[in-house]
Amino acid sequence: MADKMRIRGGLDVGNGYVKGKLEANGRVRLVDMPSQVSYISGAVQLPVTPDDEYMADVVNELDCTITSPAINPTDIGRTIVGHRAVVSGETAVIFNIDDARPKCDDALSVQLTLAAVAGTALTQYWDENHEIPAGHLEVEAALGVALPIGDYTAHRESYRRALVGPVHTVAVHNFEREISVDVVFTDVVVLPEGVAAQYAIVDKGPEFLDAALALCREDGMPLDGIDGAELYGYENIIGIDIGEGTVNFPVFRDGKVSVEVSSSINKGYGTVLSKVVAQVRSMPFAPESRKELAEFMKEPAKTAAKRQIQAKLQRYIDEEVKVFARDVINEYKSVLAKSKLSADAVYVYGGGADPVRSILYPALMEASKLDEGIWTPVVYLDSSYSRDLNRTGLFMVAPTFEAENHG
């Protein structure tokens, strides 16, 4: 008899990272993994003996074959996932941020979603039983997910249909015996990217906003006369959600998202990194991909050589950020013009927000000036919680199984 489990939660499948907040059998777990898989030969992989440390983040160690009606047969093969794929040296499969095809039509989107659910299920099973499943694990899943605003308008229903209903199988090869994780999505709620983050911001309340305002004042944003309680009550909001491949501008009017005046651009912090990779390709230390560059720049440099290389790469990044910031400002001005004087505040967040802050924030302040001494407040959220907002908001809107069963 197969073991069974239920998982509900929010899954933010970004161009750079997958960030999830998933509840398995009542326990909430966070998923953080690079949005990458690599196809491998089955002959070179040795089985692992599981232990607590390994199983705590098995989602970033998966060696698996994912089959699904939502994946073309040509994209089905044995893959390693997440951090393991990044450090493996194998050919990287990442989202092509220059591709006009919607992300939800990319097999990688489904692969990462199923890997996140299956990995979470295995971690939960291990914690409950201190062993891996005997061979077959059945998972019912209910998720909140997001699409870029442009893709949301055209593809939200087809994306939901691709996930809900059929059986998706993750065959896990990490261990001495293979484990088959069958995933059935009972329901999937699709939101425009950035909208979920705004829900999470409101849910954090006035004290959180007071802390955010204090940091923004330190950066020079004129916020006289505004406190967290007042900001909490604002209902006409422009969000700027900076991701790796897109920047989304969700607009809220009277507390409700207004998709028709919301916008997005198909550029993000990953665009910056991709341009830098192209510029330094002939240099001996050149990274192979934007993902490798991002991981290298995140690592604390323990040697003088690495510190010097990071400093050199940072100069290239800063120059490209200036170009990127101009593109963001141009689109922001267009969105702001549609909102006229109705915009109460602007929030900036997302996984790509922090590395462009020093250049983008002053430009946003200038673009938000209404008159001498008068600005639309721009609240630039710190990355320590900014990158968690979308998954938290998506967790909030994830359907419950009780609603599904009694619906």
Side-chain angles (χ1 to χ4, degrees):
M1 180 181 293
D3 292 291
K4 297 184 178 182
M5 187 178 299
R6 281 179 162 179
I7 293 177
R8 67 170 292 274
L11 202 58
D12 178 18
V13 181
N15 286 291
Y17 293 87
V18 177
K19 298 172 286 294
K21 184 175 182 179
L22 302 175
E23 182 182 51
N25 283 0
R27 178 169 175 177
V28 175
R29 300 181 180 276
L30 298 183
V31 172
D32 287 278
M33 65 177 180
S35 295
Q36 179 174 324
V37 303
S38 295
Y39 290 92
I40 60 169
S41 166
V44 297
Q45 307 303 310
L46 297 176
V48 173
T49 300
D51 58 27
D52 288 345
E53 181 180 1
Y54 186 84
M55 296 303 295
D57 194 32
V58 71
V59 66
N60 267 300
E61 298 290 344
L62 282 180
D63 168 7
C64 60
T65 302
I66 300 173
T67 55
S68 164
I71 301 176
N72 288 328
T74 54
D75 291 316
I76 294 174
R78 188 163 176 170
T79 59
I80 50 178
V81 177
H83 180 70
R84 183 174 179 179
V86 173
V87 301
S88 69
E90 302 287 348
T91 301
V93 179
I94 60 178
F95 288 112
N96 181 355
I97 57 178
D98 297 318
D99 193 346
R101 179 178 57 167
K103 188 167 64 178
C104 56
D105 284 351
D106 192 322
L108 181 59
S109 179
V110 179
Q111 288 170 322
L112 293 170
T113 297
L114 290 169
V117 172
T120 300
L122 289 175
T123 298
Q124 179 66 24
Y125 189 92
W126 174 267
D127 282 356
E128 290 178 0
N129 301 281
H130 304 291
E131 63 180 4
I132 60 175
H136 192 199
L137 181 59
E138 293 181 357
V139 178
E140 284 187 331
L143 294 182
V145 298
L147 289 175
I149 288 171
D151 293 348
Y152 170 84
T153 303
H155 302 284
R156 63 185 183 278
E157 289 299 330
S158 60
Y159 187 38
R160 183 183 180 278
R161 285 196 301 270
L163 294 176
V164 175
V167 177
H168 314 265
T169 300
V170 182
V172 178
H173 312 299
N174 297 61
F175 311 108
E176 284 286 355
R177 63 174 182 265
E178 183 173 294
I179 303 168
S180 177
V181 182
D182 289 343
V183 180
V184 175
F185 294 102
T186 58
D187 200 2
V188 173
V189 172
V190 186
L191 292 183
E193 286 182 357
V195 169
Q198 203 65 46
Y199 293 159
I201 290 168
V202 172
D203 187 63
K204 286 180 176 290
E207 289 187 5
F208 166 81
L209 296 177
D210 274 327
L213 289 171
L215 290 175
C216 293
R217 289 189 177 99
E218 290 178 9
D219 281 344
M221 180 71 219
L223 293 166
D224 294 341
I226 302 174
D227 61 12
E230 179 174 327
L231 186 61
Y232 181 78
Y234 291 169
E235 292 189 321
N236 298 305
I237 302 295
I238 297 174
I240 303 178
D241 181 9
I242 302 174
E244 183 149 334
T246 58
V247 179
N248 290 280
F249 300 82
V251 177
F252 292 79
R253 289 180 173 172
D254 299 323
K256 298 178 180 178
V257 65
S258 179
V259 175
E260 63 275 10
V261 294
S262 300
S263 181
S264 63
I265 58 174
N266 290 325
K267 295 181 180 180
Y269 185 59
T271 310
V272 170
L273 298 179
S274 292
K275 289 184 176 180
V276 171
V277 169
Q279 289 181 52
V280 303
R281 194 170 298 281
S282 62
M283 298 180 183
F285 57 80
E288 290 293 323
S289 68
R290 72 174 194 271
K291 182 61 61 187
E292 186 177 333
L293 174 57
E295 293 294 314
F296 178 75
M297 295 303 290
K298 280 171 50 180
E299 292 175 4
K302 297 180 180 179
T303 67
K306 285 188 177 180
R307 286 192 293 271
Q308 291 171 329
I309 291 173
Q310 283 184 338
K312 187 167 187 175
L313 288 169
Q314 190 62 55
R315 289 193 289 272
Y316 282 96
I317 291 171
D318 288 344
E319 289 304 310
E320 288 301 329
V321 168
K322 292 176 184 176
V323 177
F324 170 69
R326 285 196 289 270
D327 292 333
V328 174
I329 292 299
N330 286 338
E331 188 64 22
Y332 169 62
K333 287 180 177 178
S334 176
V335 173
L336 193 61
K338 296 174 187 175
S339 300
K340 302 296 182 185
L341 293 177
S342 66
D344 297 329
V346 179
Y347 288 90
V348 188
Y349 43 81
D354 203 52
V356 303
R357 182 178 186 134
S358 62
I359 294 171
L360 180 59
Y361 198 12
L364 286 170
M365 292 183 203
E366 181 61 29
S368 302
K369 189 172 183 178
L370 300 173
D371 200 357
E372 194 62 36
I374 304 174
W375 286 263
T376 299
V378 181
V379 183
Y380 208 117
L381 298 177
D382 183 79
S383 65
S384 61
Y385 39 76
S386 177
R387 70 187 305 273
D388 290 331
L389 291 172
N390 272 317
R391 67 174 162 195
T392 300
L394 291 170
F395 181 82
M396 290 166 60
V397 303
T400 63
F401 293 105
E402 288 77 15
E404 173 70 18
N405 290 340
H406 298 99

